Amino acid sequence: MSTVLYISAHPMQGEASYSTTVGNQFIQAYREANPNDEVIYLDLFQMDIPRIDAEVLTAWGKLGAGTAFDQLTASDQKKVSRLSGLVDQFVAADKYVFVNPVWNFSYPPVLKDYIDAICVAGKTFKYVAGVGPVGQLTDKKALHIQASGSVLSPGSAYADFEMSHRHLDTIMKFLGVPSFDAIFVEGMAAAADQAQAIKEKAVQEARTLALTF
């Protein structure tokens, strides 16, 4: 049995979101093909994801210097514990599905907070003398479902403007994830009359990919 983290970085749900619609269809097909797998839904807009601020950095510094966890302030303990829980959950999962819209050529800020929470030395990557950082998640699979009003996928005229998938792809490589697929739901604003067809094509792609993911 595998555990799948469905990581949603869209404030809207259901048919109000192209990326969420395609993501939901993917998960439905995946569950049909893998009824014994566990799917854990993470709604980043509704979750407590501590931002790495001065308080967190100071608390980590104290722990690294030998301060006992119970000697931290209650606020420090809460943030540090929550961040540890997020990365531990990520490491324990087998597969990841990231779902987001493109906002100003990147993803919503909650996804960056989540990425910062899961990129932890000693857990998702480690430093090797003479080599540098080495990803530890070499037995995982990931999928990125992304919607954008413009066409931003690799090979398009505006591909160099796109910072969302390219950054997430870099992060997955950094963490050692060997398989990272992508479904781009794009061009709805540029060709409004084709929006429904674009969505239906992406849904079919998602349902097909779900059978082998």
Side-chain angles (χ1 to χ4, degrees), residues 13-18 21 24-25 199:
Q13 300 301 317
E15 293 296 318
S17 161
Y18 282 92
T21 297
N24 287 342
Q25 286 293 317
K199 180 169 67 173

Side-chain angles (χ1 to χ4, degrees), residues 51-84:
R51 182 160 293 173
I52 299 178
D53 55 15
E55 190 173 28
V56 169
L57 291 173
T58 299
W60 281 344
K62 289 179 179 178
L63 292 172
T67 299
F69 178 79
D70 59 10
Q71 295 301 306
L72 299 177
T73 67
S75 178
D76 287 350
Q77 290 182 29
K78 180 179 179 181
K79 288 185 177 182
V80 169
S81 293
R82 179 58 178 160
L83 288 167
S84 293

Side-chain angles (χ1 to χ4, degrees), residues 21-197:
T21 297
V22 176
N24 287 342
Q25 286 293 317
F26 173 86
I27 286 299
Q28 179 180 320
Y30 182 87
R31 282 178 164 145
E32 292 169 357
N34 304 275
N36 295 321
D37 284 7
E38 179 184 17
V39 177
I40 300 174
Y41 176 65
L42 303 182
D43 183 345
L44 300 189
F45 272 91
Q46 300 300 319
M47 288 172 54
D48 171 27
I49 308 174
R51 182 160 293 173
I52 299 178
D53 55 15
E55 190 173 28
V56 169
L57 291 173
T58 299
W60 281 344
K62 289 179 179 178
L63 292 172
T67 299
F69 178 79
D70 59 10
Q71 295 301 306
L72 299 177
T73 67
S75 178
D76 287 350
Q77 290 182 29
K78 180 179 179 181
K79 288 185 177 182
V80 169
S81 293
R82 179 58 178 160
L83 288 167
S84 293
L86 288 171
V87 68
D88 288 345
Q89 179 187 55
F90 194 80
V91 171
D94 303 291
K95 303 175 184 180
Y96 315 114
V97 180
F98 295 91
V99 180
N100 66 273
V102 173
W103 289 356
N104 301 313
F105 302 111
S106 189
Y107 41 61
V110 290
L111 182 52
K112 179 58 165 62
D113 288 338
Y114 184 76
I115 290 170
D116 288 342
I118 62 173
C119 291
V120 179
K123 291 193 174 182
T124 51
F125 70 95
K126 67 179 180 180
Y127 289 103
V128 177
V131 177
V134 177
Q136 299 299 288
L137 306 183
T138 57
D139 58 345
K140 314 295 185 181
K141 298 180 68 173
L143 167 66
H144 187 201
I145 299 174
Q146 174 169 286
S148 59
S150 300
V151 177
L152 304 173
S153 57
S156 69
Y158 286 92
D160 288 345
F161 287 70
E162 197 276 337
M163 302 295 177
S164 176
H165 177 73
R166 289 198 294 160
H167 182 249
L168 196 54
D169 181 56
T170 297
I171 293 297
M172 292 298 101
K173 289 175 180 175
F174 175 67
L175 299 182
V177 178
S179 175
F180 187 44
D181 293 308
I183 297 174
F184 298 104
V185 193
E186 57 182 358
M188 291 79 69
D193 59 325
Q194 299 177 37
Q196 184 61 31

